[in-house]
């Protein structure tokens, strides 16, 4: 079984690439983030023609998540239980589904903006709510994973130059401590192999030739419980999908399971 996570940075803008990638990659389950569309505008029909069911939690603007599956789609949960909300609004940042033998959450963790910004406190609160929401599945006997854009680089090695991020979000001790607490619920970081260079970065800014210069970050993560990680046969960053005109600024992270 092949599953993946991908921040597509607008499914409308990326639809031809997404459909072609699904066909060529043989992906069974895709956790998608930053749909930037509404549930009504989501390309369900196009995906159905390829044999995929879709569970979508999206209201337009800058968020939106989905699980796309050709392995079954049941027990869908839209939204994060205990979501603290930001500025009085619970944003569409999480969706869960059971896809055949596995259960997944597709998550788009808040960016945080700046360390002294209210959005940063919201980010930490949101991860705490995520930890509570997944604790039962994390300790269970069914293969389970939380996949998505975490907007946090777990270690200094997960950014191209830690000095370039001094004073910035995504690398702070508070964010990394929140990730550690999440893993302590029974999850392990499934670290993919890079297809090029030494580090499996998953995101490269559009600006300043970051992709050609490989100035990247590993912020798209797969956190799996023990039954999930024991089933992992391979994992890699599909860096090729970051290339070319009209690419997302994130690359898909792919995991092959023997389930």
């Amino acid at each position: 079984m092949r599953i993946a996570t991908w921040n597509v940075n607008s499914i409308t803008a990326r639809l031809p690439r997404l459909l072609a990638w699904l066909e060529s990659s043989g992906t069974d389950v895709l956790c998608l983030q930053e749909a930037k569309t509404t549930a009504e505008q989501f390309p369900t029909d196009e995906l159905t023609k390829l044999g995929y069911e879709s569970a979508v939690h999206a209201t337009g603007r800058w968020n939106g998540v989905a699980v796309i599956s050709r392995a079954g789609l049941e027990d869908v949960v839209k939204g994060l239980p205990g979501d603290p909300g930001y500025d009085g609004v619970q944003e569409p940042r999480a969706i869960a589904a059971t896809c055949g033998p596995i259960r997944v959450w597709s998550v788009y963790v808040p960016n945080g903006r700046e360390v002294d910004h209210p959005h940063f406190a919201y980010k930490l609160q949101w991860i705490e709510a995520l930890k509570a929401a997944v604790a039962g599945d994390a300790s269970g006997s069914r293969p389970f994973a939380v996949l998505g854009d975490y907007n946090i680089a777990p270690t200094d090695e997960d950014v191209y130059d830690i000095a370039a991020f001094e004073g910035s979000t995504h690398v702070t001790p508070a964010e990394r401590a929140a990730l550690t607490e999440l893993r302590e619920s029974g999850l392990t970081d499934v670290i993919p192999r890079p297809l090029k260079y030494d580090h499996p970065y998953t995101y490269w800014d559009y600006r300043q030739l970051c992709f050609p210069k490989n100035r990247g970050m590993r912020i798209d993560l797969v956190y799996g419980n023990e039954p999930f990680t024991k089933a992992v046969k391979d994992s890699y960053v599909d860096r090729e999908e970051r290339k070319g005109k009209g690419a997302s600024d994130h690359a898909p992270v792919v995991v092959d399971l023997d389930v």
Side-chain angles (χ1 to χ4, degrees):
M1 186 176 194
R2 173 163 287 181
I3 71 171
T5 181
W6 191 7
N7 179 325
V8 293
N9 188 19
S10 173
I11 195 169
T12 302
R14 237 60 66 187
L15 184 58
R17 293 187 68 130
L18 171 64
L19 297 175
W21 184 82
L22 285 171
E23 287 196 280
S24 65
S25 67
T27 298
D28 297 300
V29 179
L30 174 62
C31 293
L32 180 147
Q33 302 87 41
E34 210 168 352
K36 292 184 177 178
T37 188
T38 64
E40 294 74 20
Q41 295 170 328
F42 195 84
T44 302
D45 292 344
E46 290 89 338
L47 291 162
T48 299
K49 290 176 183 177
L50 293 184
Y52 291 89
E53 298 177 85
S54 303
V56 185
H57 185 37
T59 56
R61 302 186 68 182
W62 306 113
N63 304 313
V65 288
V67 177
I68 300 166
S69 173
R70 63 179 185 183
L73 195 64
E74 300 177 339
D75 302 324
V76 173
V77 175
K78 297 181 180 182
L80 183 64
D83 187 331
Y86 180 69
D87 204 19
V89 177
Q90 291 188 336
E91 300 171 326
R93 293 184 173 273
I95 188 169
T98 298
C99 304
I102 68 169
R103 185 159 180 80
V104 298
W105 276 91
S106 176
V107 300
Y108 181 38
V109 175
N111 178 281
R113 301 182 186 175
E114 299 174 356
V115 175
D116 58 353
H117 196 284
H119 207 262
F120 185 79
Y122 162 58
K123 180 178 191 174
L124 300 179
Q125 294 165 359
W126 197 93
I127 298 172
E128 182 67 23
L130 176 64
K131 176 186 173 183
V134 306
D137 283 319
S139 61
S141 59
R142 173 175 53 183
F144 168 75
V146 186
L147 307 92
D149 179 356
Y150 281 70
N151 272 314
I152 303 171
T155 72
D156 288 357
E157 288 70 34
D158 292 314
V159 296
Y160 72 91
D161 180 4
I162 190 60
F165 293 86
E166 184 176 356
S168 299
T169 61
H170 292 54
V171 298
T172 66
E175 291 165 291
R176 289 175 173 174
L179 280 189
T180 298
E181 291 182 5
L182 177 62
R183 291 193 299 269
E184 288 174 349
S185 68
L187 302 173
T188 299
D189 188 353
V190 178
I191 301 176
R193 58 184 173 89
L195 294 186
K196 187 177 181 180
Y197 302 114
D198 296 331
H199 300 290
Y201 300 141
T202 65
Y203 164 83
W204 300 260
D205 198 303
Y206 287 129
R207 300 167 295 180
Q208 300 177 336
L209 298 176
C210 282
F211 182 65
K213 295 179 179 180
N214 200 37
R215 295 177 177 173
M217 306 174 71
R218 186 173 77 93
I219 57 176
D220 300 88
L221 310 175
V222 177
Y223 278 8
N225 69 354
E226 185 175 3
F228 183 94
T229 57
K230 282 185 174 180
V232 173
K233 298 304 177 184
D234 191 17
S235 182
Y236 62 92
V237 179
D238 191 349
R239 191 179 185 278
E240 293 298 305
E241 194 53 40
R242 177 59 176 81
K243 293 181 178 179
K245 184 178 180 181
S248 170
D249 44 4
H250 295 251
V253 179
V254 180
V255 182
D256 288 334
L257 302 170
D258 185 5
V259 293

